[in-house]
């Protein structure tokens, strides 16, 4: 039983609740992955990548709060506990130890592409049941796609796209 009465039908609330919970998990894990890489990146591009990683962390943390609060507003209890995130994430584990700058970029591109793919599925799933949630997912996805573009540009040479 929920303490908040949802304006959505039970069927729509199930779809939307799952989308929001998945988005929350992905955003929390993305922030953790980016921070882990941030602490361990080394190499000639250290500073630019280090700062770029903080931008991803900020984005992921802001959006995780938005997703959790949207779930709560609809009567769905968000779950961002470490165990839940660990068991639900699709992002690959970050290796231990120092991470060369080119490897850091690859890790982040992989993580961002994975999360964006899952977000796009959620955008599609929430189209009819809740356009408000869909709009929040679109905003998150747009921000993540921008980060993915920037990391991909970081690893390309102008003469070798």
């Amino acid at each position: 039983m929920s303490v908040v009465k949802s304006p959505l039908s039970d069927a729509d609330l199930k779809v939307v609740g799952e989308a929001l919970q998945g988005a929350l998990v992905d955003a929390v894990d993305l922030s953790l992955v980016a921070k882990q890489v941030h602490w361990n990146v080394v190499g000639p591009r250290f500073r630019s990548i280090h700062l770029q990683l903080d931008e991803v962390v900020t984005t992921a943390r802001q959006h995780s709060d938005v997703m959790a609060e949207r779930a709560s507003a609809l009567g769905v209890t968000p779950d961002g506990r470490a165990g839940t995130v660990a068991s639900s994430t699709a992002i690959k584990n970050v290796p231990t130890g120092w991470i060369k700058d080119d490897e850091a970029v690859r890790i982040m591109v992989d993580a961002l592409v994975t999360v964006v793919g899952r977000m796009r599925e959620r955008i599609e799933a929430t189209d009819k049941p809740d356009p408000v949630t869909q709009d929040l997912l679109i905003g998150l996805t747009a921000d993540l796609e921008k980060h993915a573009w920037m990391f991909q540009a970081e690893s390309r040479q102008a003469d070798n796209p």
Side-chain angles (χ1 to χ4, degrees):
M1 184 173 118
S2 175
V3 296
V4 176
K5 174 68 176 128
S6 177
L8 304 179
S9 71
D10 288 346
D12 288 349
L13 187 60
K14 181 177 182 341
V15 170
V16 172
E18 288 173 1
L20 287 166
Q21 178 59 36
L24 173 61
V25 164
D26 284 349
V28 168
D29 197 31
L30 185 61
S31 74
L32 295 172
V33 164
K35 197 47 108 167
Q36 183 66 26
V37 175
H38 167 90
W39 293 323
N40 291 289
V41 65
V42 295
R45 295 180 297 158
F46 164 80
R47 182 157 172 74
S48 64
I49 294 170
H50 185 78
L51 295 173
Q52 204 172 349
L53 288 162
D54 267 341
E55 293 173 8
V56 173
V57 171
T58 298
T59 296
R61 286 180 179 170
Q62 287 172 343
H63 283 284
S64 67
D65 194 49
V66 169
M67 297 303 145
E69 288 178 356
R70 178 66 182 158
S72 293
L74 293 174
V76 176
T77 56
D79 188 354
R81 296 173 299 160
T84 301
V85 172
S87 68
S88 304
T89 189
I91 301 172
K92 294 177 188 171
N93 284 331
V94 176
T96 58
W98 302 116
I99 302 170
K100 290 185 54 75
D101 52 6
D102 59 337
E103 179 66 7
V105 169
R106 187 198 58 74
I107 289 168
M108 290 311 301
V109 168
D110 287 351
L112 287 160
V113 166
T114 296
V115 173
V116 164
R118 289 166 54 108
M119 290 301 169
R120 286 187 162 276
E121 291 170 5
R122 294 176 185 120
I123 289 168
E124 189 174 322
T126 56
D127 177 38
K128 297 280 189 251
D130 188 25
V132 175
T133 295
Q134 183 191 44
D135 186 54
L136 297 175
L137 293 168
I138 289 168
L140 170 54
T141 304
D143 288 348
L144 296 178
E145 287 177 345
K146 181 178 178 183
H147 288 301
W149 157 57
M150 290 183 169
F151 275 108
Q152 288 174 39
E154 179 80 34
S155 65
R156 304 281 185 197
Q157 298 295 322
D159 58 345
N160 187 19

